mmCIF file of all heavy atoms in Angstrom:
data_model
loop_
_atom_site.group_PDB
_atom_site.id
_atom_site.type_symbol
_atom_site.label_atom_id
_atom_site.label_comp_id
_atom_site.label_asym_id
_atom_site.label_seq_id
_atom_site.Cartn_x
_atom_site.Cartn_y
_atom_site.Cartn_z
ATOM 1 N N LEU A 17 -20.926 -0.772 54.755
ATOM 2 C CA LEU A 17 -21.292 -0.388 53.378
ATOM 3 C C LEU A 17 -22.782 -0.623 53.140
ATOM 4 O O LEU A 17 -23.341 -1.607 53.640
ATOM 5 C CB LEU A 17 -20.531 -1.266 52.372
ATOM 6 C CG LEU A 17 -19.020 -1.105 52.256
ATOM 7 C CD1 LEU A 17 -18.457 -2.179 51.326
ATOM 8 C CD2 LEU A 17 -18.696 0.283 51.716
ATOM 9 N N THR A 18 -23.401 0.248 52.367
ATOM 10 C CA THR A 18 -24.782 -0.018 51.947
ATOM 11 C C THR A 18 -24.729 -0.932 50.723
ATOM 12 O O THR A 18 -23.673 -1.076 50.077
ATOM 13 C CB THR A 18 -25.505 1.283 51.552
ATOM 14 O OG1 THR A 18 -24.817 1.840 50.430
ATOM 15 C CG2 THR A 18 -25.545 2.287 52.683
ATOM 16 N N GLN A 19 -25.882 -1.502 50.397
ATOM 17 C CA GLN A 19 -25.930 -2.340 49.184
ATOM 18 C C GLN A 19 -25.560 -1.510 47.960
ATOM 19 O O GLN A 19 -24.847 -1.966 47.070
ATOM 20 C CB GLN A 19 -27.331 -2.929 49.012
ATOM 21 C CG GLN A 19 -27.643 -4.010 50.038
ATOM 22 C CD GLN A 19 -28.999 -4.655 49.803
ATOM 23 O OE1 GLN A 19 -29.880 -4.062 49.178
ATOM 24 N NE2 GLN A 19 -29.177 -5.860 50.329
ATOM 25 N N ALA A 20 -26.017 -0.254 47.950
ATOM 26 C CA ALA A 20 -25.743 0.608 46.793
ATOM 27 C C ALA A 20 -24.241 0.898 46.684
ATOM 28 O O ALA A 20 -23.675 0.913 45.576
ATOM 29 C CB ALA A 20 -26.529 1.905 46.918
ATOM 30 N N GLN A 21 -23.591 1.113 47.822
ATOM 31 C CA GLN A 21 -22.150 1.398 47.776
ATOM 32 C C GLN A 21 -21.371 0.185 47.252
ATOM 33 O O GLN A 21 -20.489 0.319 46.411
ATOM 34 C CB GLN A 21 -21.645 1.778 49.182
ATOM 35 C CG GLN A 21 -22.034 3.197 49.580
ATOM 36 C CD GLN A 21 -21.807 3.459 51.064
ATOM 37 O OE1 GLN A 21 -21.935 2.562 51.893
ATOM 38 N NE2 GLN A 21 -21.484 4.697 51.385
ATOM 39 N N LEU A 22 -21.739 -0.989 47.761
ATOM 40 C CA LEU A 22 -21.037 -2.190 47.282
ATOM 41 C C LEU A 22 -21.301 -2.376 45.782
ATOM 42 O O LEU A 22 -20.394 -2.674 44.999
ATOM 43 C CB LEU A 22 -21.508 -3.422 48.080
ATOM 44 C CG LEU A 22 -20.883 -4.749 47.658
ATOM 45 C CD1 LEU A 22 -19.362 -4.735 47.803
ATOM 46 C CD2 LEU A 22 -21.458 -5.917 48.464
ATOM 47 N N ALA A 23 -22.563 -2.155 45.397
ATOM 48 C CA ALA A 23 -22.935 -2.327 43.987
ATOM 49 C C ALA A 23 -22.123 -1.388 43.103
ATOM 50 O O ALA A 23 -21.623 -1.789 42.035
ATOM 51 C CB ALA A 23 -24.425 -2.059 43.821
ATOM 52 N N SER A 24 -21.929 -0.157 43.558
ATOM 53 C CA SER A 24 -21.230 0.795 42.678
ATOM 54 C C SER A 24 -19.753 0.432 42.533
ATOM 55 O O SER A 24 -19.178 0.564 41.458
ATOM 56 C CB SER A 24 -21.453 2.231 43.170
ATOM 57 O OG SER A 24 -20.339 2.719 43.829
ATOM 58 N N VAL A 25 -19.136 -0.110 43.605
ATOM 59 C CA VAL A 25 -17.735 -0.566 43.481
ATOM 60 C C VAL A 25 -17.628 -1.682 42.443
ATOM 61 O O VAL A 25 -16.667 -1.780 41.682
ATOM 62 C CB VAL A 25 -17.210 -1.084 44.852
ATOM 63 C CG1 VAL A 25 -15.828 -1.677 44.733
ATOM 64 C CG2 VAL A 25 -17.232 0.026 45.892
ATOM 65 N N LEU A 26 -18.671 -2.522 42.409
ATOM 66 C CA LEU A 26 -18.605 -3.702 41.541
ATOM 67 C C LEU A 26 -19.226 -3.464 40.165
ATOM 68 O O LEU A 26 -19.242 -4.353 39.321
ATOM 69 C CB LEU A 26 -19.339 -4.870 42.209
ATOM 70 C CG LEU A 26 -18.755 -5.326 43.545
ATOM 71 C CD1 LEU A 26 -19.682 -6.309 44.231
ATOM 72 C CD2 LEU A 26 -17.386 -5.960 43.321
ATOM 73 N N ASN A 27 -19.756 -2.241 40.033
ATOM 74 C CA ASN A 27 -20.397 -1.914 38.765
ATOM 75 C C ASN A 27 -21.594 -2.825 38.446
ATOM 76 O O ASN A 27 -21.735 -3.317 37.326
ATOM 77 C CB ASN A 27 -19.352 -1.981 37.641
ATOM 78 C CG ASN A 27 -19.646 -0.962 36.576
ATOM 79 O OD1 ASN A 27 -20.507 -0.095 36.772
ATOM 80 N ND2 ASN A 27 -18.972 -1.086 35.443
ATOM 81 N N VAL A 28 -22.391 -3.099 39.471
ATOM 82 C CA VAL A 28 -23.632 -3.868 39.272
ATOM 83 C C VAL A 28 -24.756 -3.063 39.919
ATOM 84 O O VAL A 28 -24.505 -2.059 40.596
ATOM 85 C CB VAL A 28 -23.562 -5.272 39.932
ATOM 86 C CG1 VAL A 28 -22.486 -6.138 39.304
ATOM 87 C CG2 VAL A 28 -23.349 -5.176 41.444
ATOM 88 N N SER A 29 -25.994 -3.499 39.741
ATOM 89 C CA SER A 29 -27.106 -2.765 40.355
ATOM 90 C C SER A 29 -27.244 -3.170 41.825
ATOM 91 O O SER A 29 -26.819 -4.263 42.216
ATOM 92 C CB SER A 29 -28.400 -3.095 39.618
ATOM 93 O OG SER A 29 -28.717 -4.442 39.854
ATOM 94 N N PHE A 30 -27.856 -2.277 42.636
ATOM 95 C CA PHE A 30 -28.016 -2.648 44.051
ATOM 96 C C PHE A 30 -29.000 -3.798 44.187
ATOM 97 O O PHE A 30 -28.953 -4.587 45.119
ATOM 98 C CB PHE A 30 -28.401 -1.434 44.922
ATOM 99 C CG PHE A 30 -29.853 -1.058 44.878
ATOM 100 C CD1 PHE A 30 -30.774 -1.683 45.714
ATOM 101 C CD2 PHE A 30 -30.301 -0.077 43.995
ATOM 102 C CE1 PHE A 30 -32.123 -1.335 45.668
ATOM 103 C CE2 PHE A 30 -31.640 0.265 43.944
ATOM 104 C CZ PHE A 30 -32.556 -0.363 44.777
ATOM 105 N N GLN A 31 -29.888 -3.957 43.166
ATOM 106 C CA GLN A 31 -30.816 -5.095 43.202
ATOM 107 C C GLN A 31 -30.032 -6.409 43.116
ATOM 108 O O GLN A 31 -30.408 -7.406 43.727
ATOM 109 C CB GLN A 31 -31.822 -5.043 42.038
ATOM 110 C CG GLN A 31 -32.861 -3.947 42.163
ATOM 111 C CD GLN A 31 -32.443 -2.663 41.410
ATOM 112 O OE1 GLN A 31 -31.259 -2.425 41.192
ATOM 113 N NE2 GLN A 31 -33.431 -1.859 41.039
ATOM 114 N N SER A 32 -28.937 -6.374 42.353
ATOM 115 C CA SER A 32 -28.130 -7.606 42.252
ATOM 116 C C SER A 32 -27.583 -7.982 43.613
ATOM 117 O O SER A 32 -27.655 -9.139 44.042
ATOM 118 C CB SER A 32 -26.942 -7.412 41.303
ATOM 119 O OG SER A 32 -27.391 -7.141 40.030
ATOM 120 N N VAL A 33 -27.047 -6.954 44.329
ATOM 121 C CA VAL A 33 -26.482 -7.234 45.654
ATOM 122 C C VAL A 33 -27.581 -7.771 46.567
ATOM 123 O O VAL A 33 -27.389 -8.748 47.306
ATOM 124 C CB VAL A 33 -25.835 -5.959 46.253
ATOM 125 C CG1 VAL A 33 -25.371 -6.208 47.682
ATOM 126 C CG2 VAL A 33 -24.671 -5.499 45.387
ATOM 127 N N SER A 34 -28.755 -7.147 46.476
ATOM 128 C CA SER A 34 -29.870 -7.586 47.316
ATOM 129 C C SER A 34 -30.230 -9.052 47.005
ATOM 130 O O SER A 34 -30.451 -9.861 47.912
ATOM 131 C CB SER A 34 -31.046 -6.644 47.058
ATOM 132 O OG SER A 34 -32.196 -7.176 47.616
ATOM 133 N N LYS A 35 -30.237 -9.398 45.724
ATOM 134 C CA LYS A 35 -30.585 -10.783 45.350
ATOM 135 C C LYS A 35 -29.526 -11.764 45.861
ATOM 136 O O LYS A 35 -29.850 -12.857 46.323
ATOM 137 C CB LYS A 35 -30.705 -10.904 43.819
ATOM 138 C CG LYS A 35 -32.004 -10.336 43.289
ATOM 139 C CD LYS A 35 -32.060 -10.518 41.778
ATOM 140 C CE LYS A 35 -33.262 -9.818 41.198
ATOM 141 N NZ LYS A 35 -33.149 -9.658 39.738
ATOM 142 N N TRP A 36 -28.239 -11.354 45.768
ATOM 143 C CA TRP A 36 -27.191 -12.257 46.287
ATOM 144 C C TRP A 36 -27.424 -12.501 47.771
ATOM 145 O O TRP A 36 -27.361 -13.617 48.240
ATOM 146 C CB TRP A 36 -25.789 -11.642 46.130
ATOM 147 C CG TRP A 36 -25.374 -11.328 44.732
ATOM 148 C CD1 TRP A 36 -25.900 -11.831 43.580
ATOM 149 C CD2 TRP A 36 -24.337 -10.416 44.348
ATOM 150 N NE1 TRP A 36 -25.253 -11.292 42.503
ATOM 151 C CE2 TRP A 36 -24.289 -10.437 42.934
ATOM 152 C CE3 TRP A 36 -23.432 -9.605 45.036
ATOM 153 C CZ2 TRP A 36 -23.371 -9.661 42.215
ATOM 154 C CZ3 TRP A 36 -22.512 -8.842 44.327
ATOM 155 C CH2 TRP A 36 -22.495 -8.866 42.931
ATOM 156 N N GLU A 37 -27.702 -11.412 48.491
ATOM 157 C CA GLU A 37 -27.825 -11.546 49.945
ATOM 158 C C GLU A 37 -29.070 -12.354 50.333
ATOM 159 O O GLU A 37 -29.088 -13.000 51.378
ATOM 160 C CB GLU A 37 -27.850 -10.160 50.610
ATOM 161 C CG GLU A 37 -26.499 -9.465 50.487
ATOM 162 C CD GLU A 37 -26.430 -8.133 51.226
ATOM 163 O OE1 GLU A 37 -27.447 -7.692 51.794
ATOM 164 O OE2 GLU A 37 -25.334 -7.535 51.223
ATOM 165 N N ASN A 38 -30.088 -12.301 49.484
ATOM 166 C CA ASN A 38 -31.302 -13.080 49.780
ATOM 167 C C ASN A 38 -31.251 -14.473 49.161
ATOM 168 O O ASN A 38 -32.242 -15.210 49.193
ATOM 169 C CB ASN A 38 -32.542 -12.353 49.245
ATOM 170 C CG ASN A 38 -32.793 -11.091 50.044
ATOM 171 O OD1 ASN A 38 -32.654 -11.109 51.262
ATOM 172 N ND2 ASN A 38 -33.118 -10.000 49.369
ATOM 173 N N SER A 39 -30.131 -14.775 48.546
ATOM 174 C CA SER A 39 -29.938 -16.089 47.900
ATOM 175 C C SER A 39 -30.960 -16.372 46.795
ATOM 176 O O SER A 39 -31.304 -17.527 46.541
ATOM 177 C CB SER A 39 -29.977 -17.230 48.922
ATOM 178 O OG SER A 39 -28.996 -17.030 49.886
ATOM 179 N N THR A 40 -31.434 -15.297 46.142
ATOM 180 C CA THR A 40 -32.305 -15.551 44.990
ATOM 181 C C THR A 40 -31.485 -15.495 43.697
ATOM 182 O O THR A 40 -31.982 -15.793 42.622
ATOM 183 C CB THR A 40 -33.472 -14.537 44.928
ATOM 184 O OG1 THR A 40 -32.925 -13.228 45.031
ATOM 185 C CG2 THR A 40 -34.464 -14.762 46.045
ATOM 186 N N ALA A 41 -30.237 -15.064 43.814
ATOM 187 C CA ALA A 41 -29.311 -15.123 42.674
ATOM 188 C C ALA A 41 -27.900 -15.206 43.242
ATOM 189 O O ALA A 41 -27.673 -14.883 44.413
ATOM 190 C CB ALA A 41 -29.456 -13.870 41.804
ATOM 191 N N TYR A 42 -26.960 -15.628 42.398
ATOM 192 C CA TYR A 42 -25.571 -15.756 42.850
ATOM 193 C C TYR A 42 -24.674 -14.869 42.004
ATOM 194 O O TYR A 42 -24.935 -14.672 40.812
ATOM 195 C CB TYR A 42 -25.106 -17.214 42.729
ATOM 196 C CG TYR A 42 -25.886 -18.103 43.659
ATOM 197 C CD1 TYR A 42 -26.950 -18.856 43.187
ATOM 198 C CD2 TYR A 42 -25.591 -18.146 45.015
ATOM 199 C CE1 TYR A 42 -27.702 -19.647 44.052
ATOM 200 C CE2 TYR A 42 -26.333 -18.921 45.893
ATOM 201 C CZ TYR A 42 -27.382 -19.672 45.400
ATOM 202 O OH TYR A 42 -28.124 -20.431 46.255
ATOM 203 N N PRO A 43 -23.603 -14.348 42.589
ATOM 204 C CA PRO A 43 -22.697 -13.527 41.785
ATOM 205 C C PRO A 43 -22.036 -14.367 40.692
ATOM 206 O O PRO A 43 -21.820 -15.569 40.892
ATOM 207 C CB PRO A 43 -21.636 -13.060 42.801
ATOM 208 C CG PRO A 43 -21.959 -13.674 44.104
ATOM 209 C CD PRO A 43 -23.194 -14.498 43.979
ATOM 210 N N ASP A 44 -21.735 -13.738 39.549
ATOM 211 C CA ASP A 44 -21.033 -14.450 38.487
ATOM 212 C C ASP A 44 -19.643 -14.829 38.986
ATOM 213 O O ASP A 44 -19.019 -14.072 39.735
ATOM 214 C CB ASP A 44 -20.854 -13.538 37.252
ATOM 215 C CG ASP A 44 -22.205 -13.302 36.576
ATOM 216 O OD1 ASP A 44 -23.114 -14.119 36.797
ATOM 217 O OD2 ASP A 44 -22.317 -12.269 35.869
ATOM 218 N N ILE A 45 -19.179 -15.962 38.476
ATOM 219 C CA ILE A 45 -17.855 -16.446 38.917
ATOM 220 C C ILE A 45 -16.788 -15.391 38.663
ATOM 221 O O ILE A 45 -15.918 -15.154 39.496
ATOM 222 C CB ILE A 45 -17.518 -17.766 38.189
ATOM 223 C CG1 ILE A 45 -18.309 -18.882 38.869
ATOM 224 C CG2 ILE A 45 -16.030 -18.057 38.228
ATOM 225 C CD1 ILE A 45 -18.114 -20.242 38.295
ATOM 226 N N GLU A 46 -16.895 -14.703 37.513
ATOM 227 C CA GLU A 46 -15.827 -13.723 37.209
ATOM 228 C C GLU A 46 -15.865 -12.497 38.123
ATOM 229 O O GLU A 46 -14.921 -11.723 38.178
ATOM 230 C CB GLU A 46 -15.793 -13.332 35.721
ATOM 231 C CG GLU A 46 -17.021 -12.645 35.202
ATOM 232 C CD GLU A 46 -18.014 -13.633 34.586
ATOM 233 O OE1 GLU A 46 -17.997 -14.816 34.958
ATOM 234 O OE2 GLU A 46 -18.799 -13.205 33.744
ATOM 235 N N LYS A 47 -16.952 -12.359 38.888
ATOM 236 C CA LYS A 47 -17.045 -11.217 39.822
ATOM 237 C C LYS A 47 -16.490 -11.579 41.212
ATOM 238 O O LYS A 47 -16.318 -10.713 42.072
ATOM 239 C CB LYS A 47 -18.524 -10.816 40.025
ATOM 240 C CG LYS A 47 -19.050 -9.843 38.993
ATOM 241 C CD LYS A 47 -18.806 -8.389 39.415
ATOM 242 C CE LYS A 47 -19.204 -7.438 38.293
ATOM 243 N NZ LYS A 47 -18.179 -6.535 37.850
ATOM 244 N N LEU A 48 -16.243 -12.881 41.451
ATOM 245 C CA LEU A 48 -15.948 -13.308 42.825
ATOM 246 C C LEU A 48 -14.694 -12.661 43.414
ATOM 247 O O LEU A 48 -14.683 -12.223 44.555
ATOM 248 C CB LEU A 48 -15.820 -14.830 42.897
ATOM 249 C CG LEU A 48 -17.137 -15.610 42.908
ATOM 250 C CD1 LEU A 48 -16.874 -17.105 43.033
ATOM 251 C CD2 LEU A 48 -18.049 -15.148 44.039
ATOM 252 N N THR A 49 -13.641 -12.582 42.604
ATOM 253 C CA THR A 49 -12.387 -12.026 43.128
ATOM 254 C C THR A 49 -12.590 -10.560 43.487
ATOM 255 O O THR A 49 -12.163 -10.093 44.545
ATOM 256 C CB THR A 49 -11.267 -12.148 42.061
ATOM 257 O OG1 THR A 49 -11.320 -13.449 41.536
ATOM 258 C CG2 THR A 49 -9.912 -11.882 42.635
ATOM 259 N N GLU A 50 -13.261 -9.845 42.601
ATOM 260 C CA GLU A 50 -13.524 -8.418 42.822
ATOM 261 C C GLU A 50 -14.417 -8.227 44.059
ATOM 262 O O GLU A 50 -14.189 -7.338 44.884
ATOM 263 C CB GLU A 50 -14.285 -7.900 41.595
ATOM 264 C CG GLU A 50 -13.856 -6.543 41.099
ATOM 265 C CD GLU A 50 -14.782 -6.127 39.949
ATOM 266 O OE1 GLU A 50 -15.075 -6.961 39.061
ATOM 267 O OE2 GLU A 50 -15.225 -4.991 39.971
ATOM 268 N N LEU A 51 -15.430 -9.096 44.167
ATOM 269 C CA LEU A 51 -16.351 -9.018 45.307
ATOM 270 C C LEU A 51 -15.592 -9.288 46.608
ATOM 271 O O LEU A 51 -15.754 -8.571 47.607
ATOM 272 C CB LEU A 51 -17.476 -10.049 45.110
ATOM 273 C CG LEU A 51 -18.498 -10.196 46.236
ATOM 274 C CD1 LEU A 51 -19.224 -8.877 46.517
ATOM 275 C CD2 LEU A 51 -19.537 -11.279 45.889
ATOM 276 N N ALA A 52 -14.734 -10.317 46.579
ATOM 277 C CA ALA A 52 -13.956 -10.647 47.782
ATOM 278 C C ALA A 52 -13.084 -9.449 48.173
ATOM 279 O O ALA A 52 -13.011 -9.074 49.346
ATOM 280 C CB ALA A 52 -13.098 -11.881 47.536
ATOM 281 N N ALA A 53 -12.447 -8.822 47.185
ATOM 282 C CA ALA A 53 -11.570 -7.679 47.487
ATOM 283 C C ALA A 53 -12.399 -6.528 48.068
ATOM 284 O O ALA A 53 -11.988 -5.890 49.043
ATOM 285 C CB ALA A 53 -10.832 -7.238 46.228
ATOM 286 N N ALA A 54 -13.570 -6.273 47.483
ATOM 287 C CA ALA A 54 -14.413 -5.174 47.977
ATOM 288 C C ALA A 54 -14.862 -5.435 49.413
ATOM 289 O O ALA A 54 -15.056 -4.505 50.189
ATOM 290 C CB ALA A 54 -15.629 -5.001 47.073
ATOM 291 N N LEU A 55 -15.002 -6.709 49.769
ATOM 292 C CA LEU A 55 -15.446 -7.051 51.122
ATOM 293 C C LEU A 55 -14.256 -7.352 52.040
ATOM 294 O O LEU A 55 -14.416 -7.884 53.140
ATOM 295 C CB LEU A 55 -16.392 -8.263 51.073
ATOM 296 C CG LEU A 55 -17.725 -7.997 50.354
ATOM 297 C CD1 LEU A 55 -18.523 -9.283 50.178
ATOM 298 C CD2 LEU A 55 -18.558 -6.964 51.123
ATOM 299 N N LYS A 56 -13.070 -7.027 51.559
ATOM 300 C CA LYS A 56 -11.824 -7.214 52.308
ATOM 301 C C LYS A 56 -11.680 -8.639 52.834
ATOM 302 O O LYS A 56 -11.384 -8.885 54.004
ATOM 303 C CB LYS A 56 -11.730 -6.204 53.469
ATOM 304 C CG LYS A 56 -11.777 -4.758 53.006
ATOM 305 C CD LYS A 56 -11.062 -3.843 53.956
ATOM 306 C CE LYS A 56 -11.131 -2.372 53.596
ATOM 307 N NZ LYS A 56 -11.089 -2.022 52.190
ATOM 308 N N THR A 57 -11.948 -9.581 51.945
ATOM 309 C CA THR A 57 -11.771 -10.980 52.313
ATOM 310 C C THR A 57 -11.233 -11.730 51.106
ATOM 311 O O THR A 57 -10.636 -11.110 50.221
ATOM 312 C CB THR A 57 -13.104 -11.570 52.848
ATOM 313 O OG1 THR A 57 -12.851 -12.879 53.310
ATOM 314 C CG2 THR A 57 -14.218 -11.590 51.817
ATOM 315 N N ASN A 58 -11.384 -13.022 51.061
ATOM 316 C CA ASN A 58 -10.902 -13.759 49.892
ATOM 317 C C ASN A 58 -11.978 -14.738 49.436
ATOM 318 O O ASN A 58 -12.969 -14.965 50.149
ATOM 319 C CB ASN A 58 -9.587 -14.477 50.210
ATOM 320 C CG ASN A 58 -9.765 -15.442 51.356
ATOM 321 O OD1 ASN A 58 -10.461 -16.444 51.225
ATOM 322 N ND2 ASN A 58 -9.194 -15.112 52.507
ATOM 323 N N VAL A 59 -11.760 -15.314 48.277
ATOM 324 C CA VAL A 59 -12.808 -16.127 47.662
ATOM 325 C C VAL A 59 -13.136 -17.361 48.512
ATOM 326 O O VAL A 59 -14.304 -17.745 48.650
ATOM 327 C CB VAL A 59 -12.380 -16.536 46.230
ATOM 328 C CG1 VAL A 59 -13.354 -17.530 45.627
ATOM 329 C CG2 VAL A 59 -12.290 -15.295 45.343
ATOM 330 N N ASP A 60 -12.125 -17.956 49.151
ATOM 331 C CA ASP A 60 -12.383 -19.134 49.999
ATOM 332 C C ASP A 60 -13.407 -18.810 51.073
ATOM 333 O O ASP A 60 -14.324 -19.581 51.336
ATOM 334 C CB ASP A 60 -11.094 -19.590 50.702
ATOM 335 C CG ASP A 60 -10.263 -20.478 49.800
ATOM 336 O OD1 ASP A 60 -10.735 -20.806 48.704
ATOM 337 O OD2 ASP A 60 -9.136 -20.817 50.198
ATOM 338 N N VAL A 61 -13.218 -17.666 51.705
ATOM 339 C CA VAL A 61 -14.138 -17.287 52.793
ATOM 340 C C VAL A 61 -15.527 -17.039 52.223
ATOM 341 O O VAL A 61 -16.540 -17.485 52.768
ATOM 342 C CB VAL A 61 -13.602 -16.055 53.546
ATOM 343 C CG1 VAL A 61 -14.651 -15.501 54.493
ATOM 344 C CG2 VAL A 61 -12.344 -16.428 54.327
ATOM 345 N N LEU A 62 -15.587 -16.325 51.094
ATOM 346 C CA LEU A 62 -16.894 -16.051 50.470
ATOM 347 C C LEU A 62 -17.650 -17.349 50.179
ATOM 348 O O LEU A 62 -18.863 -17.421 50.337
ATOM 349 C CB LEU A 62 -16.698 -15.345 49.126
ATOM 350 C CG LEU A 62 -16.623 -13.838 49.080
ATOM 351 C CD1 LEU A 62 -16.701 -13.375 47.631
ATOM 352 C CD2 LEU A 62 -17.747 -13.203 49.898
ATOM 353 N N LEU A 63 -16.910 -18.358 49.775
ATOM 354 C CA LEU A 63 -17.559 -19.606 49.395
ATOM 355 C C LEU A 63 -17.816 -20.518 50.591
ATOM 356 O O LEU A 63 -18.245 -21.659 50.445
ATOM 357 C CB LEU A 63 -16.721 -20.337 48.341
ATOM 358 C CG LEU A 63 -16.615 -19.599 46.992
ATOM 359 C CD1 LEU A 63 -15.735 -20.366 46.023
ATOM 360 C CD2 LEU A 63 -17.986 -19.356 46.373
#
Side-chain angles (χ1 to χ4, degrees):
L17 292 173
T18 63
Q19 288 184 337
Q21 284 167 328
L22 178 60
S24 103
V25 175
L26 298 170
N27 213 10
V28 296
S29 67
F30 80 85
Q31 289 94 336
S32 297
V33 174
S34 168
K35 283 181 187 164
W36 300 341
E37 292 185 357
N38 291 319
S39 302
T40 51
Y42 295 99
D44 290 339
I45 282 180
E46 63 267 25
K47 274 271 174 236
L48 282 182
T49 314
E50 221 184 316
L51 176 59
L55 294 172
K56 301 207 183 324
T57 186
N58 59 68
V59 172
D60 276 355
V61 170
L62 271 191
L63 294 178

